[in-house]
Amino acid sequence: MTILDGKKLSNTIKDEIKAEVDKMKQKGEKVPHLAAVLVGNDGASLTYVNSKVRSCERVGFESTLLRLPSTISEIELLDKIDELNANEDIDGFIVQLPLPKQIDTQKVIMRIDPDKDVDGFHPTNFGKMALDMTTFIPATPFGILELLERYDVQTEGKHTVVIGRSHIVGRPMSILMGRKGFPGNSTVTLTHSHTKNITQITSQADIIITALGVPNYLKAEMVKDDAVIIDVGITRVPDEDSPKGYIITGDVDFEKVKEKASFITPVPGGVGPMTISMLLKNTLLARELHRKRKNL
């Protein structure tokens, strides 16, 4: 059994990106600039955004954090997005989800310039991804692909089962694992809350990617020997014995499932760190696209 160490690989990728940025600086070129919009004071969102800002500093990116009150109106937020779209100094930006109830998330995503949509959520980018065109792949699926590629996990001809059909992870993963090339060329089954006999399906899978957010959902009896297990789930579970009062748990019953797996991601330290690294990689791509466009 091999642990797919996302934390270690994430640091390697950040080092690679920093090397690219150092070359830009030596040539006197503008370095990539990532902006993040945070609405309200959600603790988890603040943690994520601060981590992204720190990662930008590490690789030499410029970064801007735009903090807005939770009471902001939808029109005011859309106006802020228009400003970011028009700001030529900013290569890419994200709007941290979830948003307050008074704001239509879909309207916000639609308003972002697809060329600056480094989260890869805009329908234009999703469509390009589905058609195997160069675009911004959502950061978590992108991170999973990178883990599979760097650890040389074979996907061709394999049966991949994806658990969960969110627009952020499950659905894009189902498309990407079936695409031509590596990682890809697998036969994909997309399962969800209405899937019947899910154990029968998962027990036939060579690769399982679970993104449910249900702690310890995937049990050892649901997995065949030598399966590859990718755990995207991350949930805070109350634990009186922990100094923090909780532990971070994934969708997989890790201790029992790892005995049967050939490759498995831990939680924390698996997919999570990869997500931020791939957001940086998307921002690097955005910078390159903007540079090429200006040179035309």
Side-chain angles (χ1 to χ4, degrees):
M1 186 273 298
T2 300
I3 295 284
L4 296 171
D5 189 339
K7 190 173 182 182
K8 182 180 176 184
L9 180 54
S10 169
N11 285 327
T12 299
I13 291 167
K14 285 175 184 173
D15 289 341
E16 292 169 359
I17 293 171
K18 186 178 185 304
E20 290 289 320
V21 174
D22 287 344
K23 286 179 189 173
M24 289 179 183
K25 288 178 179 175
Q26 287 168 10
K27 293 177 184 175
E29 294 177 2
K30 175 190 172 301
V31 300
H33 187 165
L34 174 67
V37 179
L38 178 64
V39 182
N41 295 302
D42 179 75
S45 293
L46 186 58
T47 300
Y48 289 142
V49 169
N50 283 338
S51 180
K52 289 165 185 173
V53 169
R54 285 195 303 274
S55 294
C56 283
E57 289 173 5
R58 175 177 166 179
V59 301
F61 284 10
E62 290 183 22
S63 66
T64 298
L65 173 56
L66 194 62
R67 295 194 65 171
L68 303 171
S70 58
T71 53
I72 192 169
S73 71
E74 186 175 270
I75 291 172
E76 287 172 317
L77 179 56
L78 293 174
D79 285 344
K80 290 289 184 187
I81 290 170
D82 289 342
E83 288 175 20
L84 292 169
N85 285 336
N87 187 339
E88 290 195 2
D89 188 53
I90 291 172
D91 296 296
F93 68 94
I94 62 161
V95 179
Q96 185 66 42
L97 304 179
L99 292 167
K101 291 178 182 177
Q102 75 270 20
I103 295 169
D104 183 336
T105 299
Q106 203 60 51
K107 270 190 191 175
V108 168
I109 290 170
M110 289 293 289
R111 195 66 159 252
I112 298 170
D113 179 350
D115 288 344
K116 293 190 175 188
D117 168 42
V118 287
D119 260 337
F121 295 163
H122 193 284
T124 296
N125 290 326
F126 198 97
K128 285 182 176 180
M129 177 199 71
L131 294 170
D132 278 345
M133 296 168 70
T134 299
T135 190
F136 303 117
I137 298 173
T140 299
F142 197 4
I144 293 168
L145 293 180
E146 200 77 7
L147 274 170
L148 294 172
E149 183 174 350
R150 302 264 187 144
Y151 277 88
D152 198 27
V153 178
Q154 293 306 301
T155 59
E156 184 174 339
K158 303 295 185 183
H159 180 200
T160 297
V161 171
V162 179
I163 306 175
R165 55 181 169 180
S166 75
H167 295 169
I168 295 171
V169 182
R171 200 166 298 182
M173 265 334 298
S174 69
I175 294 168
L176 292 163
M177 290 301 288
R179 68 180 182 170
K180 290 181 180 179
F182 173 67
N185 281 326
S186 69
T187 301
V188 182
T189 302
L190 179 62
T191 66
H192 44 77
S193 57
H194 293 273
T195 301
K196 294 179 180 177
N197 303 321
I198 194 162
T199 297
Q200 188 179 343
I201 296 168
T202 57
S203 61
Q204 296 171 1
D206 301 303
I207 302 167
I208 299 174
I209 301 168
T210 174
L212 271 182
V214 178
N216 299 314
Y217 173 82
L218 192 73
K219 306 292 186 187
E221 58 268 23
M222 299 171 73
V223 176
K224 75 175 186 179
D225 288 340
D226 294 328
V228 176
I229 310 295
I230 307 292
D231 189 353
V232 186
I234 183 160
T235 308
R236 288 184 178 185
V237 177
D239 186 330
E240 292 178 1
D241 296 329
S242 169
K244 294 181 179 178
Y246 64 86
I247 54 171
I248 300 292
T249 306
D251 288 354
V252 178
D253 186 356
F254 183 83
E255 291 303 322
K256 291 179 180 168
V257 172
K258 75 175 183 181
E259 301 300 325
K260 299 178 79 173
S262 56
F263 294 88
I264 190 168
T265 59
V267 176
V271 174
M274 293 297 296
T275 298
I276 292 179
S277 290
M278 304 326 278
L279 178 69
L280 297 176
K281 208 160 185 178
N282 274 343
T283 307
L284 192 64
L285 174 62
R287 173 75 200 101
E288 183 63 17
L289 292 173
H290 297 156
R291 187 181 66 79
K292 283 181 179 176
R293 189 167 300 152
K294 283 184 177 180
N295 287 343
L296 289 176

